[in-house]
Structure formats: C-alpha cells, structure tokens
Amino acid sequence: MSAPARASGLHTTSLGESGRRVVFCHGLFGQGKNWTRIGKELAADHRVLLVDMPDHGKSAWSEEFDYLAAADRVAELFSADDPVALVGHSMGGKIAMLVALRHPELVERLCVVDVSPVAYHHTSEFAGYIAAMQALDLDALERRSEADAALADAVPNPVVRSFLLQNLRHHDGWSWQPNLDLLGRDLERLGGWPEDRLEPGATYDGPVLWIAGQKSDYVTDDYAAAMDRWFPRNRRVTIKGAGHWVHSEQPEVFGEVVKRFLR
C-alpha cells in the first residue's frame, strides 16, 4: 500500500501485515519501488516498508543534500518500540549506516549493499548520467522510447539506461522525478562520508550484513578497516556475477542472502 509523504517528507510503500519490520533504502537515481520484487517475497512473513529517499521518487525535495539530515528524516519513520531490519544500497546504504550509528535503538539489524563508510572520488560516471538526463528535451518528447534512444550514446548500458528512465514521469507533460539540479550540484557530498560530524568512537553494535558485488569496486579489502571501526559485528558476503546494482543483477541470490540474514 502506497502512502503519501509523511511528516518527514518521505513517501513510503507498505507490504505485508505481520512479522519483523524490514525497511529498504534505495541508491542514487532509485525509488522505493526498485525493491518491490524482494519486498513482495518477504511480505508473507514480514512488514516491509519501501522508502523513497529525499529528492527521489515521490519524496519531498530539499535545499541541499546532507547525509545526516537524510538519515534523521528516515529515522523519523521508526520507533524504538518496534526496531527495524534496515537494508540500504549505495547512497541508501550510507543513509542506513548513519541511521544505525545515530539512532541505534531504532535498528535491530543492518544490511549494507555494495557501499562502504568512506568517501569515494569516482563520481564522474554519475555526473555524466545527470548531464545526459538534463540535456533531454522533455518538451519535444512524445514517447518513452524516444528518451531511451536519446540517452543511448551517453548511457550505452541498456540496464542502466532502463533504470534511469524509471525516473521519467508523464503527467501533463514529461518530467524527471529526482531533484537533478541538487544531485548534480551536491554530487561530491553524495560520494562522501560525514566522518567529522559523527560522535567520536561511535559504533553500531548490532549484526551487520555487508553485501558486495564481485565486479564492483565500492566494497574492497581496503575499506574493511573502516567498516570494522564503525560496525564491529559486520560479515561480508560477495555475490558472484554482480556489479554495483547487486539486487538487480543477481536478484535470486541477493534475495536468498537477505532472507538468511533476517532468519
């Protein structure tokens, strides 16, 4: 059941009526509905919540991107009386980690998908996506297939292109759902990690599943020390044949790994 944006300004979709509460946070250019497949698989035994992150999907836009503010907005959806299993991918993984570090009483367990608590400097690929999306002449667009063709040179991977085009909405004309101006302007922050703004010595001591795509460079041995520092009870699982979008590229394996962690 889809819900309008709450006091936090975040749009959510609920699936399932009983069991542990499991919450999914998507990555950059994503939407809560990206998790629909696994959400439906879990809904028989869990109460699932798919959340549109700030400046994405149907959630409210903000004046600037700030990881701590985003984490606190997500935390407003939860209660210490009903702690959640929190799953986050990429940008959403960083937000989920910060929810756990800042509000540990709200998070019963944490699953971090193909991201590490570090600052990344390889954001040029995402800058190219944003530029290509902004360059699209929406007023001249008649059908979605034309947008797909127009993005083909800048985004040659059809899987990535299809993922980006999920953000193209038609309602009294075409428009992009994400706040592209803000995301492009604050891309360096999106790649960062606000270590200097966290409590010294802060840790999240609950169980943490750290999922990596075998072909991705967002989770490497070089980042293990940082993960151990913040999340001492983490366990890394690498999924073969997957890149950064692990849950889309290997959905069956990903789903089984998450289900085992929830059990």
Side-chain angles (χ1 to χ4, degrees):
M1 180 178 64
S2 184
R6 309 192 183 190
S8 62
L10 301 181
H11 178 272
T12 63
T13 300
S14 299
L15 303 167
E17 299 179 354
S18 63
R20 175 190 281 124
R21 198 171 184 208
V22 185
V23 180
F24 289 89
C25 301
H26 63 78
L28 184 62
F29 306 127
Q31 302 173 65
K33 68 180 184 181
N34 296 146
W35 299 104
T36 299
R37 174 173 174 162
I38 188 171
K40 287 183 175 179
E41 291 176 4
L42 293 173
D45 302 305
H46 302 83
R47 291 168 293 138
V48 177
L49 194 70
L50 314 179
V51 186
D52 286 356
M53 295 294 98
D55 301 293
H56 290 76
K58 296 180 181 178
S59 286
W61 287 8
S62 54
E63 295 297 320
E64 62 179 358
F65 186 85
D66 180 278
Y67 266 122
L68 299 190
D72 290 346
R73 286 172 68 183
V74 172
E76 290 176 21
L77 302 172
F78 312 148
S79 165
D81 297 331
D82 187 20
V84 306
L86 189 57
V87 183
H89 169 248
S90 196
M91 175 195 75
K94 286 189 173 181
I95 291 173
M97 285 190 280
L98 291 167
V99 172
L101 288 169
R102 289 168 66 80
H103 309 279
E105 73 283 358
L106 302 179
V107 182
E108 184 266 334
R109 62 186 54 212
L110 176 68
C111 176
V112 179
V113 185
D114 211 63
V115 74
S116 307
V118 301
Y120 297 104
H121 303 291
H122 47 80
T123 58
S124 59
E125 179 182 18
F126 295 107
Y129 295 161
I130 292 172
M133 293 162 78
Q134 289 179 315
L136 199 62
D137 187 351
L138 298 179
D139 293 333
L141 202 62
E142 293 188 4
R143 53 187 65 87
R144 189 174 297 270
S145 59
E146 295 175 358
D148 183 70
L151 289 178
D153 287 342
V155 190
N157 186 322
V159 175
V160 175
R161 199 163 65 247
S162 175
F163 171 72
L164 296 177
L165 286 170
Q166 290 181 27
N167 292 286
L168 188 60
R169 178 179 57 181
H170 189 270
H171 180 71
D172 295 330
W174 295 94
S175 62
W176 292 108
Q177 282 193 308
N179 188 348
L180 294 178
D181 289 342
L182 175 142
L183 297 176
R185 186 194 70 201
D186 293 348
L187 198 55
E188 187 173 338
R189 288 189 190 178
L190 282 155
W193 173 253
E195 180 170 342
D196 59 341
R197 297 169 60 199
L198 294 170
E199 290 290 331
T203 60
Y204 171 72
D205 298 318
V208 178
L209 176 64
W210 190 23
I211 296 179
Q214 179 191 29
K215 298 186 289 185
S216 171
D217 59 0
Y218 283 82
V219 175
T220 69
D221 290 343
D222 292 339
Y223 301 146
M227 196 68 178
D228 292 343
R229 169 189 170 188
W230 300 104
F231 305 97
R233 293 181 60 195
N234 79 80
R235 178 172 63 92
R236 191 191 332 179
V237 173
T238 299
I239 295 182
K240 294 180 180 179
H244 184 53
W245 281 277
V246 187
H247 52 298
S248 296
E249 296 172 61
Q250 295 290 344
E252 293 180 2
V253 178
F254 175 82
E256 186 56 36
V257 169
V258 171
K259 288 172 190 174
R260 289 182 183 177
F261 180 60
L262 294 177
R263 287 197 293 264

